């Protein structure tokens, strides 16, 4: 009995996580992988289709469009987010009055529901009587078709997503800034380095690990763009805001093409992996 | 030693209990024990819940009936998703009363729903209730009925009487051409900022597939005297009426008569819109929320010049189904007949304001008082004999998604010509129909 209890105890202790891993992580991944070589509409039995889903993906113009849209979003969103987060973190790192209040304010959008934020911004962006266009009219400028112009809709969504998420990255960068020893700046000042030189030669290199984290998290969040186009534009106008995730969602839950959706999901995961690997290669440095 | 032994016994017991619990959960998922009642799911809106409550209470009063338990369909993104999940999990109710006929073929192919044609008296019940023309559209390709058409929401045009009078419009347009003539009178810049302050009509510009029921599809039905998109397995989109409908929308969007905007509020009730395509649900909504000075009228959809006869429209019908998981099909059929009898159809009108799909609705003396008190509903009820549903295909959502993409490109944004859009629609829809016909196993997007 003692031998049994000794040998069973470790397994019993890891059983809760083991079950969680098997049911919530491993099973869906393996099942999705199986789906990539099948056709399945949830209702009828699965049909083996081999590599057809992958071949179809290559020849699907909407796949390429959604991929380009997602990359376009990342190209606008990541630099904007990192730059604004860095500036805000630098400001909040100064001896300001009510610094705690401002830190909380910038973080507030992060904890508000994505759907709520999106509905709110949809109202701001409304062509007729939206807040932004009303302000532009007061300034004597023309109306902007924020969500109904194929050129402007995705940048408008990127701006909104930046507003929503920047607070999290401000906190990360602020923690990074506060970990840089003051003596380093003092020594640089004695050596004659001005503020810009200090920022470029001290702050940015020493923030590198945090910056890398911020960029990787932004990239992963960016690839999962879904709520914003789903609620605001439905992927339009002219599919200009159709993100990869929205495209996958439609294939799975509007058209019940589970096999094709799983294939798209795996391709998306592979792309996130590749992009993050490239980012690490070019940004990560040892100091 | 004692403590260690005690500890190991506790651990062993927890382990065994976990296994038993897990097994019970799995077993519970596939329970096949016999039940002595029927489960009925209704729609989630307050009025339909009240209707279901009253009907079920009356049914259950008779002790010779099998008891019915009802509940609103569980919450989800859409009721179709919930029903799909229930079919996959084999947790469907016996009866569901708010199903969109567009999904019937998928459920039929999966063997998830029962055929009403198996019941001996189905023919007499269907013949007595439905107009012959109307019922054709609900028959599946295998000639059987897997749905009991229950209610319809014909699409018509609400119009703002005051706005049209102010714009000098004497008669409500009935054709595309008349509509286009009044467009410049209605759509004007009132405050001199170079931007229109009111519009002719407001089709939704979001490229969701089902939005096209309210513009391209409804107006195609009106223009073709009630024809759907598929004839004997062939896509029927490359027809003159499709060009007329697409040209009509393209012209209005390109001239700014239809707004290419997403609005924050209901611009019809705000008095900024002349026409709004909608169903009978708008009557109670408008009565509740309209400003006192807004007077509205209801008219059939416009169509190209030269078409005679009644105006057809999309009927947005909802049906009742019996799921094949039921253990009491005959009793379920009896309950369906009970909830759709003449008296309960009056109850449906009274409580929900929705229109039962039945013959001579406006002529039946039982409903006369209701329609005398609700003249706006009467206009919709008179449209019931001229409503059309959708085609029977498992690719309906994809077909409407294709139409939505092409409508977006050709009409709203004029990024391609109408000719190119219709050719593309025809080709892509035919490709889907070919795949369905030949049962191809590819999963081509």
């Amino acid at each position: 009995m003692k031998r049994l209890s000794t040998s069973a105890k470790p397994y019993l202790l890891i059983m809760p996580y083991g079950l969680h891993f098997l049911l919530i992580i491993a099973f869906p991944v393996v099942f999705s992988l199986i789906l990539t070589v099948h056709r399945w509409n949830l209702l009828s039995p699965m049909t083996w289709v081999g590599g057809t889903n992958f071949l179809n993906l290559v020849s699907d113009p909407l796949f390429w469009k959604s991929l380009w849209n997602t990359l376009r979003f990342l190209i606008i969103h990541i630099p904007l987010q990192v730059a604004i987060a860095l500036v805000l973190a630098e400001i909040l790192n100064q001896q300001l009055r009510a610094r705690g209040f401002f830190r909380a304010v910038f973080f507030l959008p992060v904890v508000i529901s994505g759907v709520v934020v999106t509905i709110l911004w949809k109202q701001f962006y409304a062509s007729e009587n939206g807040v932004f266009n009303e302000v532009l009219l007061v300034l004597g400028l023309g109306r902007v078709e924020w969500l109904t112009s194929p050129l402007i809709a995705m940048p408008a969504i990127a701006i909104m997503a930046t507003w929503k998420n920047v607070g999290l990255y401000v906190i990360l960068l602020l923690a990074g800034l506060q970990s840089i020893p003051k003596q380093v700046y003092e020594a640089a000042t004695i050596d004659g380095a001005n503020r810009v030189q200090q920022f470029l030669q001290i702050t940015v290199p020493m923030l590198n690990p945090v910056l890398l984290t911020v960029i990787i998290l932004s990239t992963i969040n960016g690839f999962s763009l879904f709520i914003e186009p789903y609620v605001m534009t439905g992927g339009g106008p002219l599919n200009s805001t159709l993100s990869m995730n929205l495209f996958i969602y439609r294939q799975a839950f509007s058209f019940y093409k589970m096999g094709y959706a799983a294939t798209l999901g795996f391709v998306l995961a592979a792309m996130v992996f590749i992009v993050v690997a490239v980012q690490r290669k070019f940004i990560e440095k040892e100091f | 030693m004692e403590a260690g032994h005690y500890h190991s016994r506790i651990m062993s017991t927890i382990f065994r209990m976990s296994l038993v619990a897990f097994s019970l959960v799995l077993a519970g998922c596939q329970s096949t024990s016999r039940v002595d009642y029927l489960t009925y799911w209704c729609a989630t809106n307050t009025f339909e819940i009240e209707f279901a409550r009253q009907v079920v209470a009356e049914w259950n009063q008779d002790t010779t009936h099998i008891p019915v338990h009802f509940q609103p369909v569980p919450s989800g993104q859409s009721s179709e998703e919930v029903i799909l999940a229930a079919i996959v999990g084999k947790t469907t109710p016996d009866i569901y009363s708010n199903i969109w006929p567009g999904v019937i073929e998928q459920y039929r192919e999966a063997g998830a729903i029962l055929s009403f044609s198996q019941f001996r008296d189905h023919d007499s019940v269907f013949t007595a209730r439905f107009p012959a023309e109307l019922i054709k559209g609900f028959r599946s390709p295998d000639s059987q009925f897997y749905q009991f058409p229950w209610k319809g929401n014909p699409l018509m045009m609400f119009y703002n009487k005051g706005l049209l009078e102010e714009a000098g419009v004497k008669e409500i347009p009935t054709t595309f051409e008349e509509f286009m003539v009044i467009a410049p009178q209605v759509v004007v810049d009132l405050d001199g900022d170079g931007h229109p302050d009111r519009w002719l009509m407001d089709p939704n510009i979001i490229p969701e597939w089902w939005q096209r029921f309210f513009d391209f599809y409804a107006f195609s039905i009106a223009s073709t005297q009630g024809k759907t998109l598929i004839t004997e397995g062939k896509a029927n989109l490359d027809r003159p009426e499709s060009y007329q409908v697409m040209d009509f929308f393209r012209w209005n969007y390109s001239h700014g008569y239809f707004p290419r905007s997403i609005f924050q509020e209901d611009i019809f009730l705000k008095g900024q819109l002349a026409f709004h395509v909608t169903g009978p649900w708008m009557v109670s909504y408008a009565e509740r929320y309209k400003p006192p000075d807004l007077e509205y009228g209801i008219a059939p959809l416009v169509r190209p010049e030269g078409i005679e006869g009644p105006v057809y429209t999309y009927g947005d019908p909802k049906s009742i189904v019996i799921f094949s998981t039921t253990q009491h099909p005959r009793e379920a059929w009896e309950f369906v007949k009970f909830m759709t009898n003449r008296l309960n159809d009056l109850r449906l009108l009274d409580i929900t304001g929705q229109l039962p799909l039945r013959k001579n609705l406006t002529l039946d003396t039982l409903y006369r008082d209701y329609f005398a008190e609700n003249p706006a509903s009467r206009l919709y009820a008179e449209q019931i004999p001229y409503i059309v549903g959708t085609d029977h295909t498992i690719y309906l959502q994809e077909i409407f998604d294709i139409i939505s993409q092409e409508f977006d490109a050709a009409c709203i944004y004029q990024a391609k010509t109408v000719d190119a859009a219709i050719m593309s629609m025809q080709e892509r829809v035919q490709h889907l129909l070919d795949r369905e016909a030949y049962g191809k196993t590819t999963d081509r997007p």
Side-chain angles (χ1 to χ4, degrees):
Chain A
M1 194 64 203
K2 188 182 176 186
R3 255 176 53 197
L4 175 71
S5 82
T6 311
S7 60
K9 197 186 271 183
Y11 297 105
L12 285 175
L13 290 172
I14 64 164
M15 192 174 70
Y17 181 74
L19 280 175
H20 165 82
F21 176 79
L22 285 174
L23 294 175
I24 310 294
I25 299 172
F27 173 71
V29 170
V30 173
F31 187 65
S32 303
L33 196 60
I34 293 167
L35 277 181
T36 60
V37 288
H38 286 87
R39 183 172 71 125
W40 189 43
N41 70 355
L42 286 172
L43 296 170
S44 309
M46 284 188 202
T47 314
W48 169 265
V49 292
T52 308
N53 285 328
F54 289 94
L55 292 175
N56 289 339
L57 179 145
V58 175
S59 61
D60 185 352
L62 273 186
F63 162 71
W64 294 108
K65 179 82 179 170
S66 66
L67 178 61
W68 167 238
N69 288 340
T70 307
L71 293 176
R72 203 157 65 95
F73 172 79
L74 290 175
I75 290 166
I76 302 165
H77 175 61
I78 295 175
L80 191 66
Q81 181 146 275
V82 172
I84 293 174
L86 202 52
V87 169
L88 289 176
E90 186 67 41
I91 292 169
L92 292 176
N93 197 31
Q94 309 302 314
Q95 293 300 319
L96 293 174
R97 270 188 195 172
R99 193 167 58 167
F101 169 76
F102 285 114
R103 285 178 186 175
V105 165
F106 288 123
F107 194 72
L108 202 58
V110 178
V111 293
I112 299 175
S113 149
V115 176
V116 173
V117 168
T118 308
I119 291 172
L120 191 71
W121 275 71
K122 189 178 175 182
Q123 306 236 335
F124 291 166
Y125 277 143
S127 309
E128 312 292 331
N129 306 328
V131 173
F132 293 149
N133 275 350
E134 290 297 311
V135 170
L136 290 176
L137 287 176
V138 169
L139 296 174
L141 302 167
R143 282 185 170 83
V144 175
E145 293 185 336
W146 295 104
L147 298 176
T148 53
S149 158
L151 282 178
I152 298 170
M154 189 55 103
I157 285 177
I159 290 169
M160 194 218 80
T162 302
W163 179 87
K164 165 90 174 80
N165 299 321
V166 77
L168 174 67
Y169 304 113
V170 168
I171 298 295
L172 290 175
L173 288 169
L174 188 58
L177 284 173
Q178 289 178 347
S179 69
I180 301 172
K182 286 199 175 95
Q183 294 87 331
V184 181
Y185 290 105
E186 287 166 5
T189 307
I190 292 166
D191 288 344
N194 60 30
R195 293 294 294 269
V196 176
Q197 286 171 322
Q198 286 179 22
F199 180 77
L200 294 175
Q201 303 298 326
I202 298 171
T203 308
V204 172
M206 294 194 79
L207 268 183
N208 187 278
V210 184
L211 271 175
L212 181 66
T213 307
V214 166
I215 290 169
I216 288 174
L217 287 176
S218 295
T219 306
I220 294 169
N221 280 338
F223 268 112
S224 60
L225 178 70
F226 173 73
I227 292 175
E228 294 85 350
Y230 180 69
V231 174
M232 290 175 121
T233 60
L238 295 173
N239 292 318
S240 62
T241 60
L242 182 72
S243 67
M244 280 283 284
N245 270 314
L246 182 55
F247 184 52
I248 293 170
Y249 172 83
R250 287 221 177 122
Q251 297 303 316
F253 299 108
S254 291
F255 311 142
Y256 309 126
K257 293 168 150 188
M258 294 299 159
Y260 190 54
T263 310
L264 288 164
F266 269 93
V267 170
L268 178 63
M271 259 179 311
V272 174
F273 181 80
I274 293 167
V275 170
V276 170
V278 170
Q279 284 174 338
R280 288 193 64 167
K281 182 171 171 59
F282 286 100
I283 300 171
E284 194 173 35
K285 288 176 188 165
E286 292 291 337
F287 289 94
Chain B
M1 176 68 185
E2 274 302 302
H5 179 66
Y6 182 65
H7 189 213
S8 73
R9 279 186 64 185
I10 289 175
M11 296 292 256
S12 172
T13 307
I14 291 172
F15 183 65
R16 283 181 198 147
M17 282 172 67
S18 305
L19 281 179
V20 170
F22 189 60
S23 310
L24 282 175
V25 168
L26 287 179
C29 292
Q30 295 184 329
S31 170
T32 53
S33 61
R34 184 143 184 98
V35 290
D36 299 324
Y37 57 85
L38 292 173
T39 317
Y40 161 41
W41 286 0
C42 63
T44 50
N45 73 70
T46 323
F47 303 114
E48 283 196 53
I49 293 171
E50 176 56 20
F51 169 80
R53 192 190 64 75
Q54 289 189 19
V55 169
V56 168
E58 195 178 321
W59 170 270
N60 287 343
Q61 270 176 5
D62 187 337
T63 51
T64 62
H65 288 154
I66 185 170
V68 173
H69 296 182
F70 92 97
Q71 68 164 82
V73 59
S75 303
Q77 178 73 27
S78 69
S79 57
E80 280 79 24
E81 277 180 26
V82 174
I83 295 293
L84 184 72
I87 291 172
V88 174
K90 298 200 186 308
T91 55
T92 41
D94 298 284
I95 301 155
Y96 176 54
S97 67
N98 204 47
I99 208 146
W100 176 57
V103 295
I104 289 290
E105 286 314 301
Q106 287 172 341
Y107 297 171
R108 179 180 74 84
E109 284 213 346
I113 47 179
L114 290 187
S115 165
F116 285 91
S117 307
Q118 70 177 282
F119 303 115
R120 268 193 306 182
D121 59 343
H122 91 277
D123 200 31
S124 59
V125 172
F126 276 50
T127 311
R129 182 184 169 93
F130 303 113
E133 273 303 304
L134 182 76
I135 197 62
K136 275 186 203 164
F138 294 92
R139 196 188 284 273
S140 283
D142 66 356
S143 300
Q144 300 206 29
F145 290 103
Y146 292 85
Q147 56 185 316
F148 187 98
W150 184 32
K151 56 188 184 182
N153 296 295
L155 296 184
M156 298 180 79
M157 296 193 306
F158 257 59
Y159 60 87
N160 182 328
K161 286 182 179 174
L163 189 153
L164 290 175
E165 268 175 36
E166 199 183 306
V169 177
K170 300 271 188 287
E171 285 190 18
I172 303 305
T174 57
T175 66
F176 286 171
E177 291 73 13
E178 288 169 10
F179 211 75
M180 288 151 89
V181 167
I182 66 161
Q185 293 168 246
V186 171
V187 182
V188 287
D189 172 17
L190 296 170
D191 58 10
D193 67 351
H195 189 73
D197 296 296
R198 58 191 196 193
W199 291 271
L200 195 57
M201 207 162 73
D202 65 337
N204 195 311
I205 61 167
I206 296 289
E208 288 286 356
W209 61 271
W210 48 268
Q211 290 288 0
R212 300 294 75 83
F213 291 143
F214 296 86
D215 39 58
F216 177 81
Y217 190 55
F219 284 85
S220 290
I221 287 170
S223 303
T224 56
Q225 288 288 73
K227 291 194 175 67
T228 56
L229 305 178
I230 302 166
T231 312
E232 292 174 357
K234 296 288 170 204
N236 212 0
L237 284 149
D238 187 10
R239 56 189 174 190
E241 293 86 355
S242 297
Y243 291 87
Q244 287 171 312
V245 171
M246 294 279 268
D247 282 334
F248 170 71
F249 279 95
R250 183 185 171 99
W251 186 85
N252 279 296
Y253 273 114
S254 65
H255 286 80
Y257 299 137
F258 292 173
R260 213 169 64 180
S261 304
I262 296 167
F263 292 95
Q264 298 182 73
E265 59 239 314
D266 188 324
I267 58 168
F268 183 81
L269 294 188
K270 218 181 151 200
Q272 289 183 284
L273 192 66
F275 294 92
H276 180 57
V277 175
T278 185
W281 61 81
M282 181 73 181
V283 175
S284 54
Y285 175 76
E287 287 302 326
R288 193 165 174 181
Y289 296 111
K290 77 179 182 67
D293 59 337
L294 190 145
E295 278 190 58
Y296 64 84
I298 299 165
L301 300 183
V302 287
R303 56 188 180 175
E305 233 166 31
I307 303 173
E308 300 295 325
V311 181
Y312 283 77
T313 188
Y314 175 59
D316 191 20
K318 293 290 187 300
S319 296
I320 301 170
V321 289
I322 300 175
F323 286 100
S324 46
T325 46
T326 185
Q327 295 172 8
H328 307 282
R330 190 153 300 281
E331 290 85 345
W333 168 232
E334 290 303 321
F335 179 73
V336 170
K337 283 192 287 183
F338 174 77
M339 76 176 276
T340 56
N341 67 25
R342 280 177 76 232
L343 284 172
N344 279 328
D345 276 351
L346 179 62
R347 186 178 265 157
L348 179 74
L349 276 169
D350 272 334
I351 297 175
T352 70
Q354 297 187 59
L355 301 167
L357 290 176
R358 75 165 41 245
K359 268 181 194 166
N360 304 324
L361 186 62
T362 52
L363 303 176
D364 192 323
T365 50
L366 186 63
Y367 311 118
R368 190 179 293 156
D369 289 348
Y370 174 83
F371 287 120
E373 285 169 23
N374 299 277
S377 288
R378 185 187 178 87
L379 290 170
Y380 275 105
E382 284 167 350
Q383 183 76 63
I384 287 283
Y386 309 110
I387 62 168
V388 173
T390 49
D391 290 293
H392 295 277
T393 164
I394 58 170
Y395 291 118
L396 201 64
Q397 286 100 321
E398 275 187 79
I399 288 172
F400 274 90
D401 187 56
I402 290 168
I403 291 170
S404 193
Q405 306 279 339
E406 300 297 343
F407 184 85
D408 199 35
C411 300
I412 302 175
Y413 292 98
Q414 297 105 46
K416 71 194 316 187
T417 64
V418 166
D419 288 15
I422 289 178
M423 294 294 281
S424 171
M425 274 200 266
Q426 173 73 21
E427 193 181 311
R428 292 166 68 192
V429 171
Q430 189 58 53
H431 175 77
L432 288 175
L433 296 176
D434 288 344
R435 194 198 314 161
E436 186 176 9
Y438 296 111
K440 287 180 183 169
T441 54
T442 56
D443 200 13
R444 268 194 72 169

